Amino acid sequence: MAAAAATASGALGALQASRARLVAAWCAQLGLGLGLPGSVTSTRAGPAMWAQGWAPAAGGAVLRRGYSSEVNAENELRVRYLEEENRGIVVLGINRAHAKNAISKNLIKMLSKAVDALKSDKKVRTIIVRSEVPGVFCAGADLKERVKMHSSEVGPFVSKIRAVVNDIANLPVPTIAAIDGLALGGGLELALACDVRVAASCAKMGLVETKLAIIPGAGGTQRLPRAIGMSLAKELIFSARVLDGQEAKAIGLISHVLEQNKEGDAAYRKALDLAREFLPQGPVAMRVAKLAINQGMEVDLVTGLAIEEACYAQTIPTKDRLEGLLAFKEKRPPRYKGE
């Protein structure tokens, strides 16, 4: 029995060591900037992207709500690179007022292009996902479009939604969902893919798919239990219950709840405050910390600690780490460059 135990222990140690080597190799492959490969590398869109409705703008400093008004109102997704003291913050604004921001083929296409560009842009420090339509975050799937689909089209389309939501979850920088209104079905799944969620007290959110004799298909059955626990997640999905902001805060679904303001953007303003808190921190450290947390939560503690060790090692040779130590010594704010 002792020999068997020793063999099992050795096998476990070998497995853990193997996992640690894989994590270290992955981190090394990502490089110190930890940028992920994407099909779009420019930090600003060219004319072709403008024509397709993917419209980055450099607003943020000129208007109180933090974005430029020089964007075609018909764009269903507005991508804004904020400037001045907000430089490094990018806002993804969903703008399908006629459909309560419901997820359509076109919106998924634009989200996919935007995420591909953002995940390889090392100047991006934090991403906020919000609605530009008052009273709604995202009402879920566009059922008017869905009802026109042949049954053979539904599965592949839901797979595409799931893939884009996963890409958002895997963005290398912190992401914040600002829920200022309705977030149902796929809308809540989109928010669950973000690292932090904030909501107005009047917001309504829930995974309501069972009412339509289907189940959440963009990660909801997996991310909701991880956020609030299995038993409560089952209860909410089985009942298709809709919660307000206060109820969502009480169960840990969101991090902050705000009384809505007259502009209807209380959650967005809180998200912007949080993003500003993130900005002064070391860029490499932020990316590696997210990686360590996300990967570590999916494994046992011993393997998670090995992941942390491998990720920590990525910060040691960086110029940012040396700058942080020097700034501490000189009692001044650090000047990080993400190197």
Side-chain angles (χ1 to χ4, degrees), residues 164-214:
V164 172
V165 171
N166 284 341
D167 284 344
I168 291 171
N170 291 326
L171 281 165
V173 298
T175 53
I176 308 170
I179 307 171
D180 273 306
L182 200 66
L184 301 179
L188 181 54
E189 289 178 300
L190 175 60
L192 283 166
C194 294
D195 299 312
V196 180
R197 289 169 294 282
V198 298
S201 59
C202 59
K204 302 292 183 183
M205 59 200 86
L207 297 179
V208 297
E209 286 85 351
T210 53
K211 283 187 175 181
L212 298 174
I214 56 175

Side-chain angles (χ1 to χ4, degrees), residues 4 37-38 52 87 109 117 125 129 134 168-169 175 196 202 205 208 222 256 259 276 293 302 325 334:
Q52 293 169 354
R87 185 180 299 275
K109 179 180 178 181
R125 303 285 295 279
V129 181
I168 291 171
T175 53
V196 180
C202 59
M205 59 200 86
V208 297
Q222 303 305 304
H256 302 274
E259 290 299 320
R276 289 173 181 143
I293 295 168
V302 173
L325 291 173

Side-chain angles (χ1 to χ4, degrees), residues 24 61 65 75 90 133 137 161 166 178 185 188 210 226 232 240 252 263 268 305 311 333:
R65 295 189 67 179
N75 291 330
V90 177
V133 179
F137 176 75
I161 297 174
N166 284 341
L188 181 54
T210 53
R226 284 166 168 79
L232 188 52
E263 291 83 5
Y268 171 65
L305 291 172
C311 289

Side-chain angles (χ1 to χ4, degrees), residues 71-90:
V71 182
N72 189 326
E74 295 181 1
N75 291 330
E76 293 188 341
L77 181 70
R78 299 178 179 178
V79 183
R80 297 186 171 84
Y81 290 73
L82 305 191
E83 298 292 348
E84 298 181 1
E85 73 274 11
N86 297 323
R87 185 180 299 275
I89 301 172
V90 177

Side-chain angles (χ1 to χ4, degrees), residues 18-28 291 295 303 306-308 310-311:
S18 176
R19 286 178 176 175
R21 285 194 296 271
L22 286 173
V23 172
W26 184 27
C27 291
L291 178 65
Q295 296 301 311
T303 307
I307 291 172
E308 179 184 83
C311 289

